[in-house]
Amino acid sequence: MSAISAGTEKTVGSQKTEKPEGAKKSLVIETNEVSFAYDGKKDVLKKISMQIFAQEVTAFIGPSGCGKSTLLRNFNRMNDLIPTAKITNGHISILGSDIFDPMVDVIELRKKVGMVFQKYNPFPKSIYENVAYGLRIAGENRKSVIDQAVEESLQLSGLWEEVKDRLDASGMGLSGGQQQRLCIARTIAVRPEIILMDEPCSALDPISTAKVEDLITQLKEKFTIVIVTHNMQQATRVSDRTAFFYLGSLIEMDDTTKLFTNPTQKETEDYISGRFG
Amino acid sequence: MATTTGNDTSKVPNAFKRKGIRVFGLGKAEFIKYFFGGNASLAIVVLILICVFLMIEAAGFLPGNRRGLEDYRKSGQEFVDFIRDEINQHTATTTKLSIAYYAEVNETSRHEDQLVGAFIQVRNAVQNDSGKVYEGLEQVIDRVDELKDDLEEAREEAAEAAEAASANAPADPNAVAANSPAAPESDEIKELERKIAAAEASVKEERKHYLTVAEALLKEESTWDLEQAGLHLGEEEKGKISEAVLFYLPDTEGDHPYISELKKISSDKKKVAAEEHADFKAVVDEFRAAVQPMRDFVSPLKDKAEENRALATSFLTAGARREALLASAKRVEDEAKKQDILAQAEEVNIKEPPYDKLTEIFYASIPQYHELSPAFLAASEAAMAKVPEKVSTDSARENLGMAKSEFKDLKKIGKKNDKRVDNWRHDRPVSMIGAFFSFLTGKDWVTNSSWHDSYGLLPLFTGSLLISLIALIVAIPFAVGAAVYVNQVAPFKEQSFIKPTIEFIEAIPSIVLGFFGILVLGTALRELSQVPYLSWVPGFPMSERLNILTAGLLLAFMAVPTIFTLAEDALNNVPATFTENSLALGASKIQTVFRVVVPTAVSGIMAAVLLGFGRVIGETMVVLLVAGNKIQIPDFSKGIGVVTEPAHTMTGIIAQELGEVSQGTIHWQALFMVGMVLFAISLIINFSAQQVLRRFQKI
């Protein structure tokens, strides 16, 4: 808990944005032989070990039910909502701390590790209040601070120009793509280190998808992004590294270009060439 | 069949032809459709029928009420009531003054009176708790008395017989010896004496028995449970009271010295206090006397008005009576009788009474009123001014305060009457709207009165509203809190226990709840209210066991399942993704519940509350049993304490009176009007709940 809440200074922006094979990037998420079971018995993740680096977009691909979303939801412990679910083996460390340590405050973890869900879902509040929500629950009451954070977040998410005249309007009155970008703005307003995206574009039309993908590319300058996607083109478009999952195991993880052009594993090749999945 | 599709196809049967039997061109599917459609529309038809039925039954009310109000005016009763208002208000003031005075006088002897009260309470407790022992003692003592009476009688008879015998003796000395009547009679006497001795022995036995039981009881703590009287007795007083209690047996005559001493001290002290407060008494008497001229003035007017009203009422029914006589005359065959009935019919006065003439007396009395009333008010004011400012008891202070405010109202009425009396016209018509408003805003619901029946909704409406409000105020936190807990916090096991349990409450028959309300809740609340250190609570101690508060609390219990179920549904309808999103942003569970889930469900919760309101305002059985059924606007001068007053409700009055009034009378129609008001309230509540929910569904 201590490391998560205080130990990490913002390294955002100070990092160089070079190609992954260049200078060594700092390690943000590391999983070590992680197994996980929803019912506490039958593992749906099998001994997964991987490393995710800062200022990169990491894509998780794989057929339905392969465990990619499950792993993603473990990074901010959303699986805690299911009473019987638990890690059966290994550990996950984020920013250098073991997040399943009993001393970890889940709330502090989630402030550092934000999440954007498949179904865009603004609260039934105004646009402004949606973005301000994370700050307000963290106890921020100063209007100037919130005003500034709301504007910054909306600008970062590319929504500012579209909604600046109607911040008091309901967030639910926006179009689907706008709502998803509002959810992203809501997430980045809390200033997390990592943003987890669980199929963020699957409910959007192609134009909105393009906008969100642009946004992801811009955001990686400031945040570490992990994105789960079914869409392999999307993975190639937005991600720096890609991890391929199959039946609960991590089959292969490599630079996106390398993985898609020259996979080392047969399953990967079969999947990306469209033979199954 | 299709004939125009082509040369070849016209010969071939249509491949897509409908199959199955058709009746009136309708197939099975259509019949099923119409069957269900018919069921659905039946509900609507019944609803419309109810509306129409209510309206038809209530239709005559407005003209009837207008007629009644007009008669009330024409007969001069309205005029008389102006003045009677003044007198009644004066009486109310006098009562308060009088209570204050007696509070002062009784204060000095309070200790003694309390001791006597405590003694009586303890004695009754002992006698009741001794079981049948005290009763048995009573019975044997009665038996002894009876036997003694018998003995007395027997002796008298014997004496008479002896006398008769001695009178006869000189004439026939032998007869005495031959008959010797004294001998068998003395046997009877002996027998009686023996019985008496036996009975007296058993009295002794029973008395001893009772005394042992009583002594044992007196040692028990519960016998001395005098908390309610606010008394704490010392050991010495306890001893004396115990002694006195044991002294009283069914055949005891006179008081125990301790009690008679207490009584004497009390009455002496009262005498002294009365002398001390003689001035106060004089003031009260003076105040009371001030109204006498007004009473004398109004009395003949009242008689005249009553007479006029009787004429008006008889005129109202004259036509019908005459018709009835004529009709019966037709059926009678005997010519003489027929003529007789026809003559009677002729005699029926169908002419409108000459109201102008009948009301002259009222107009004529106006100058006198203007003379009397100011004098009366001035005299009252003068007496009021002399009321002592400083009083020693709380009760007196309180009642004096109330007397002052009552007197203020009296002055207001006086001022109002000054104009009202002049402007009064017996023949001013009452409009339909006026008749309607006199129903909606009327402060009295008086029926079967010898003076004037009035049908005012206000006391019933206030009662219903107050009870419902209390029920809601109590039920909302419980129901919504439980819904939030069950839906958001409780583990599955608790959920599956709490939900059916709360929902079961709805299945309890309301009459059973009513029993519970009377026997348990009413008594418990009242006893609670009498705990001395709770007396600061407004309205405590409660004078009535059945009141608005008791009814409200019971109805709250009944409203909880309604509100709970609907509120829980509303919370359930909040998408789980809201919770997930909020949690992912670093919110705690509590923050998520109160900042996202409840605000999202708020309109659904509001609709739940509205429907809960509809549930309680329409509830009948519980309020009829528990609300106290006093048709009066509760006394709001008590502030919040008003909730400890008894009240009647709109639903209650219909249930209570509808069975007893004859169909078609104005009273009957008035009850249907009340029903219509209830109906309208329910409609409005349901409509608004739907509106609120519609907002909810947009989310």
Side-chain angles (χ1 to χ4, degrees):
Chain A
M1 164 185 158
S2 57
I4 284 174
S5 58
T8 49
E9 272 301 307
K10 270 244 157 75
T11 49
V12 182
S14 66
Q15 294 281 338
K16 291 159 269 169
T17 52
E18 286 175 64
K19 288 281 172 203
E21 58 264 28
K24 195 85 176 154
K25 293 226 171 192
S26 66
L27 187 62
V28 176
I29 302 177
E30 182 172 27
T31 73
N32 187 3
E33 302 217 322
V34 168
S35 297
F36 172 85
Y38 279 114
D39 56 2
K41 290 169 204 143
K42 190 172 172 290
D43 286 351
V44 291
L45 294 181
K46 292 162 190 163
K47 300 209 169 171
I48 290 177
S49 300
M50 64 158 63
Q51 293 180 328
I52 292 170
F53 298 97
Q55 272 77 51
E56 276 187 356
V57 177
T58 305
F60 288 3
I61 60 169
S64 295
C66 67
K68 51 193 191 306
S69 284
T70 306
L71 180 64
L72 189 79
R73 290 168 70 90
N74 267 326
F75 290 161
N76 68 346
R77 285 182 59 179
M78 281 310 273
N79 287 329
D80 286 11
L81 294 178
I82 302 153
T84 52
K86 69 171 188 222
I87 292 273
T88 52
N89 186 44
H91 60 261
I92 300 175
S93 75
I94 290 181
L95 301 167
S97 309
D98 180 0
I99 59 164
F100 284 95
D101 188 295
M103 293 300 290
V104 165
D105 183 349
V106 179
I107 289 170
E108 290 302 324
L109 170 69
R110 287 177 187 158
K111 280 180 188 159
K112 291 288 173 215
V113 186
M115 190 162 195
V116 176
F117 294 83
Q118 177 177 4
K119 177 88 183 83
Y120 44 86
N121 219 308
F123 298 132
K125 297 173 187 278
S126 69
I127 293 170
Y128 180 93
E129 283 303 324
N130 259 292
V131 182
Y133 180 79
L135 295 165
R136 289 205 196 277
I137 55 170
E140 182 59 71
N141 285 321
R142 287 166 296 174
K143 194 171 183 310
S144 60
V145 175
I146 296 179
D147 278 350
Q148 202 193 344
V150 168
E151 187 179 337
E152 272 177 25
S153 310
L154 285 172
Q155 255 164 356
L156 257 176
S157 64
L159 205 57
W160 177 251
E161 288 304 320
E162 293 160 57
V163 300
K164 65 180 178 190
D165 306 326
R166 46 177 178 140
L167 290 176
D168 288 335
S170 168
M172 307 184 96
L174 297 172
S175 74
Q178 285 174 324
Q179 289 195 23
Q180 187 61 297
R181 280 185 285 149
L182 177 61
C183 290
I184 295 175
R186 184 172 67 185
T187 306
I188 60 185
V190 200
R191 296 275 147 199
E193 300 276 335
I194 302 160
I195 301 175
L196 310 173
M197 295 185 172
D198 191 356
E199 300 183 36
C201 301
S202 65
L204 300 181
D205 62 273
I207 294 172
S208 303
T209 302
K211 279 190 183 165
V212 172
E213 284 177 4
D214 275 354
L215 176 56
I216 292 171
T217 327
Q218 283 165 30
L219 288 178
K220 79 171 180 185
E221 316 231 324
K222 298 199 169 181
F223 307 95
T224 305
I225 295 172
V226 184
I227 179 170
V228 166
T229 178
H230 263 122
N231 182 334
M232 280 178 277
Q233 279 72 41
Q234 186 171 61
T236 54
R237 281 196 298 266
V238 300
S239 72
D240 300 307
R241 279 158 64 80
T242 300
F244 171 62
F245 290 78
Y246 184 57
L247 297 176
S249 303
L250 175 63
I251 304 296
E252 187 172 358
M253 182 171 187
D254 213 331
D255 287 346
T256 304
T257 28
K258 191 161 169 252
L259 186 125
F260 277 98
T261 51
N262 190 14
T264 57
Q265 302 294 318
K266 176 140 193 326
E267 289 99 332
T268 319
E269 199 184 338
D270 286 352
Y271 183 68
I272 59 178
S273 59
R275 250 169 259 165
F276 75 94
Chain B
M1 302 301 141
T3 51
T4 56
T5 36
N7 296 335
D8 292 340
T9 50
S10 62
K11 288 164 196 162
V12 183
N14 190 333
F16 309 115
K17 189 175 173 283
R18 283 189 285 205
K19 292 190 186 86
I21 307 159
R22 300 184 71 76
V23 181
F24 303 123
L26 299 174
K28 199 166 91 187
E30 273 98 341
F31 273 113
I32 291 173
K33 180 184 133 194
Y34 288 125
F35 174 71
F36 285 111
N39 286 346
S41 41
L42 187 66
I44 295 168
V45 170
V46 169
L47 184 67
I48 291 169
L49 278 180
I50 290 174
C51 281
V52 171
F53 166 74
L54 271 177
M55 276 185 212
I56 289 173
E57 289 296 342
F61 175 74
L62 284 186
N65 197 28
R66 180 168 85 152
R67 180 74 194 238
L69 288 171
E70 266 175 350
D71 281 352
Y72 174 64
R73 185 168 280 173
K74 280 181 196 153
S75 61
Q77 285 178 313
E78 188 183 28
F79 181 86
V80 173
D81 272 343
F82 290 162
I83 302 164
R84 291 216 313 185
D85 272 357
E86 234 171 295
I87 295 172
N88 290 342
Q89 186 61 32
H90 182 271
T91 313
T93 319
T94 316
T95 311
K96 294 284 185 272
L97 283 177
S98 192
I99 293 173
Y101 164 72
Y102 282 107
E104 284 292 280
V105 170
N106 293 342
E107 173 62 14
T108 50
S109 60
R110 201 175 67 176
H111 184 63
E112 287 75 16
D113 291 345
Q114 275 182 337
L115 283 178
V116 173
F119 156 71
I120 290 170
Q121 209 181 323
V122 171
R123 189 188 64 185
N124 291 344
V126 167
Q127 287 176 359
N128 287 333
D129 293 350
S130 71
K132 298 271 178 210
V133 180
Y134 187 80
E135 248 172 68
L137 180 59
E138 240 169 353
Q139 275 168 9
V140 287
I141 287 172
D142 283 351
R143 172 92 182 121
V144 170
D145 285 347
E146 264 170 46
L147 286 171
K148 277 186 176 162
D149 284 349
D150 288 352
L151 180 66
E152 197 81 352
E153 240 170 69
R155 278 195 176 135
E156 259 169 41
E157 266 171 39
E160 264 170 42
E163 225 168 82
S166 65
N168 291 343
D172 187 5
N174 297 332
V176 181
N179 293 343
S180 71
E185 270 171 4
S186 74
D187 277 352
E188 194 188 321
I189 288 172
K190 263 183 197 156
E191 172 69 19
L192 276 172
E193 275 172 344
R194 201 181 55 72
K195 274 188 187 166
I196 288 172
E200 271 175 343
S202 74
V203 166
K204 228 182 207 172
E205 196 72 6
E206 286 285 327
R207 185 180 290 149
K208 222 165 129 193
H209 185 189
Y210 167 69
L211 286 177
T212 348
V213 172
E215 262 176 75
L217 280 170
L218 282 170
K219 279 189 190 119
E220 268 174 39
E221 204 54 41
S222 60
T223 311
W224 296 91
D225 184 18
L226 301 168
E227 280 283 307
Q228 290 187 17
L231 246 186
H232 298 283
L233 296 176
E235 277 309 311
E236 193 191 341
E237 283 159 336
K238 263 190 180 176
K240 279 183 179 164
I241 288 177
S242 302
E243 209 174 281
V245 168
L246 293 176
F247 171 79
Y248 283 91
L249 298 172
D251 53 349
T252 307
E253 279 165 22
D255 274 329
H256 184 267
Y258 176 59
I259 300 302
S260 63
E261 190 196 331
L262 281 179
K263 283 186 179 165
K264 189 170 180 309
I265 296 174
S266 163
S267 80
D268 285 350
K269 278 188 175 172
K270 276 192 188 120
K271 244 179 235 162
V272 175
E275 269 167 39
E276 216 173 277
H277 293 99
D279 292 348
F280 197 169
K281 171 109 174 104
V283 169
V284 176
D285 287 344
E286 185 185 335
F287 190 84
R288 186 181 282 126
V291 80
Q292 201 48 46
M294 290 291 279
R295 281 187 199 281
D296 295 344
F297 163 68
V298 86
S299 169
L301 294 179
K302 189 185 157 214
D303 293 347
K304 180 69 183 165
E306 224 160 2
E307 219 172 86
N308 291 350
R309 183 65 189 260
L311 284 175
T313 312
S314 123
F315 166 62
L316 193 64
T317 57
R321 271 183 290 141
R322 193 169 164 203
E323 289 296 317
L325 282 172
L326 289 175
S328 72
K330 266 185 202 159
R331 283 196 299 271
V332 171
E333 304 207 343
D334 180 8
E335 198 52 36
K337 259 189 187 169
K338 197 169 190 169
Q339 288 308 320
D340 195 32
I341 292 175
L342 282 177
Q344 271 181 35
E346 275 317 298
E347 266 175 42
V348 171
N349 187 3
I350 50 164
K351 266 191 212 145
E352 191 174 13
Y355 292 117
D356 291 339
K357 219 170 179 184
L358 291 173
T359 51
E360 267 171 8
I361 180 173
F362 303 116
Y363 292 107
S365 73
I366 291 174
Q368 205 191 345
Y369 170 79
H370 282 310
E371 235 168 71
L372 278 174
S373 175
F376 150 68
L377 286 174
S380 307
E381 177 110 57
M384 205 65 193
K386 281 188 246 168
V387 166
E389 285 292 325
K390 275 189 185 166
V391 285
S392 54
T393 60
D394 287 343
S395 160
R397 206 166 301 126
E398 209 172 283
N399 278 290
L400 277 187
M402 282 196 265
K404 271 179 194 147
S405 79
E406 298 268 19
F407 185 64
K408 241 183 226 161
D409 290 345
L410 171 59
K411 282 198 284 190
K412 264 185 221 157
I413 294 174
K415 215 180 220 173
K416 197 162 75 176
N417 270 355
D418 214 25
K419 283 181 204 142
R420 269 207 303 196
V421 165
D422 284 338
N423 292 336
W424 180 77
R425 287 285 169 276
H426 75 278
D427 49 1
R428 187 172 293 145
V430 179
S431 67
M432 275 295 183
I433 296 171
F436 183 58
F437 275 97
S438 92
F439 167 73
L440 273 191
T441 62
K443 290 182 183 134
D444 301 295
W445 180 277
V446 183
T447 54
N448 295 330
S449 147
S450 58
W451 178 251
H452 171 66
D453 286 357
S454 51
Y455 303 96
L457 185 67
L458 221 47
L460 310 171
F461 184 75
T462 339
S464 282
L465 201 66
L466 272 178
I467 291 173
S468 307
L469 283 182
I470 289 175
L472 280 192
I473 288 169
V474 177
I476 289 172
F478 278 102
V480 176
V484 169
Y485 176 75
V486 166
N487 191 267
Q488 295 290 320
V489 188
F492 182 73
K493 261 188 191 166
E494 275 181 49
Q495 263 186 37
S496 54
F497 172 70
I498 298 176
K499 260 176 83 169
T501 310
I502 293 185
E503 277 156 12
F504 172 73
I505 298 173
E506 196 135 47
I508 302 177
S510 58
I511 185 97
V512 177
L513 273 185
F515 272 155
F516 171 80
I518 293 178
L519 295 175
V520 183
L521 189 64
T523 314
L525 266 183
R526 190 177 150 141
E527 275 178 11
L528 179 75
S529 81
Q530 278 159 341
V531 173
Y533 48 81
L534 280 182
S535 59
W536 54 270
V537 179
F540 277 21
M542 309 191 307
S543 50
E544 300 287 338
R545 188 165 58 109
L546 303 179
N547 56 39
I548 296 175
L549 183 65
T550 323
L553 288 180
L554 264 188
L555 283 193
F557 187 63
M558 298 186 72
V560 161
T562 309
I563 301 178
F564 168 82
T565 310
L566 294 167
E568 215 258 339
D569 279 352
L571 289 167
N572 221 6
N573 282 340
V574 176
T577 48
F578 282 174
T579 313
E580 238 177 18
N581 273 282
S582 169
L583 290 175
L585 285 166
S588 66
K589 184 80 196 165
I590 299 287
Q591 282 173 327
T592 304
V593 168
F594 286 104
R595 289 180 185 237
V596 176
V597 179
V598 172
T600 308
V602 80
S603 49
I605 293 173
M606 266 162 61
V609 168
L610 274 175
L611 292 173
F613 181 66
R615 170 91 178 80
V616 291
I617 206 157
E619 171 54 38
T620 307
M621 215 58 236
V622 164
V623 291
L624 191 61
L625 286 174
V626 185
N629 296 353
K630 185 178 175 196
I631 310 178
Q632 199 178 55
I633 297 180
D635 181 9
F636 281 94
S637 67
K638 283 186 185 172
I640 290 188
V642 69
V643 300
T644 59
E645 298 251 311
H648 215 314
T649 54
M650 293 190 282
T651 47
I653 200 111
I654 297 177
Q656 193 179 24
E657 294 187 348
L658 197 61
E660 288 163 19
V661 296
S662 47
Q663 196 166 350
T665 57
I666 184 166
H667 187 178
W668 164 278
Q669 291 162 339
L671 291 175
F672 273 87
M673 281 297 281
V674 177
M676 284 207 12
V677 171
L678 270 172
F679 192 78
I681 291 175
S682 304
L683 266 183
I684 292 168
I685 288 173
N686 275 292
F687 179 73
S688 5
Q690 273 175 15
Q691 290 298 310
V692 170
L693 267 180
R694 189 172 297 170
R695 237 199 79 202
F696 170 66
Q697 275 157 357
K698 272 187 199 155
I699 292 170

